[in-house]
Amino acid sequence: MGSTSIVGLPSKLILDIAVGVNYLDEADLFIEPLRKLGYEYVPKVDFPNRRFFRKGEWRKGTHHLHVYELSSDEWNNNLLFRNYLRSHPEKLVEYAQLKKHLASLYLEDRTTYTQQKAPFIQSVIELAKKLTRNKS
């Protein structure tokens, strides 16, 4: 998932990986095995529908592992966003330009960078949902 899953999209040097499970509680079973592989479980109170694991130093992680329920809006929205950008090169270019601009403004502030991308991401998800509804 994320920018590394879309050919031609600039990305940070972080590999974002999404894992889908039937029930989010299943992710609790991953904590110790992933720790042995160098991943740290990072509880995120702001994101109760996701479990997050990081590999690498704080604020310099190399891998982010996101666990979602397969039936969740979060899982589906991530796929909708990725797939829409893959099939709509004009939106891909627009997003790439936005990312570059925001990265220049918030080089050391990943939180604000992410917050500033959110409206664009949400608008693409809405476009993808509308396209999906029209195909049904």
Side-chain angles (χ1 to χ4, degrees):
M1 69 178 263
S3 298
T4 55
S5 69
I6 304 168
V7 174
L9 187 59
S11 63
K12 299 179 292 300
L13 298 175
I14 299 171
L15 182 61
D16 281 298
I17 304 165
V19 173
V21 294
N22 290 319
Y23 303 100
L24 197 54
D25 291 345
E26 293 175 53
D28 295 341
L29 302 172
F30 305 166
I31 294 172
E32 185 56 26
L34 285 170
R35 188 191 61 75
K36 291 178 181 177
L37 296 173
Y39 284 87
E40 175 187 2
Y41 172 56
V42 182
K44 297 274 189 178
V45 178
D46 296 346
F47 300 101
N49 299 324
R50 172 185 76 168
R51 298 295 184 267
F52 178 71
F53 298 83
R54 181 190 65 244
K55 188 173 190 175
E57 297 177 37
W58 179 253
R59 297 283 183 212
K60 295 181 183 177
T62 58
H63 298 72
H64 289 171
L65 177 66
H66 311 262
V67 182
Y68 301 97
E69 283 190 6
L70 288 168
S71 62
S72 70
D73 288 340
E74 292 83 359
W75 175 264
N76 291 318
N77 288 344
N78 275 299
L79 294 177
L80 284 169
F81 181 71
R82 181 201 65 193
N83 294 344
Y84 193 90
L85 290 185
R86 283 180 173 176
S87 61
H88 292 84
E90 72 287 352
K91 278 292 176 192
L92 175 64
V93 168
E94 192 177 337
Y95 187 50
Q97 291 171 342
L98 175 65
K99 284 173 55 95
K100 286 179 184 177
H101 175 70
L102 293 174
S104 71
L105 295 176
Y106 306 108
L107 186 61
E108 299 296 325
D109 185 356
R110 189 176 296 167
T111 301
T112 303
Y113 167 82
T114 300
Q115 290 170 344
Q116 293 296 311
K117 292 188 309 180
F120 180 88
I121 292 169
Q122 192 57 46
S123 73
V124 170
I125 291 168
E126 292 306 317
L127 287 170
K129 286 179 179 179
K130 182 186 281 188
L131 184 64
T132 301
R133 281 191 299 269
N134 289 342
K135 286 183 178 180
S136 313

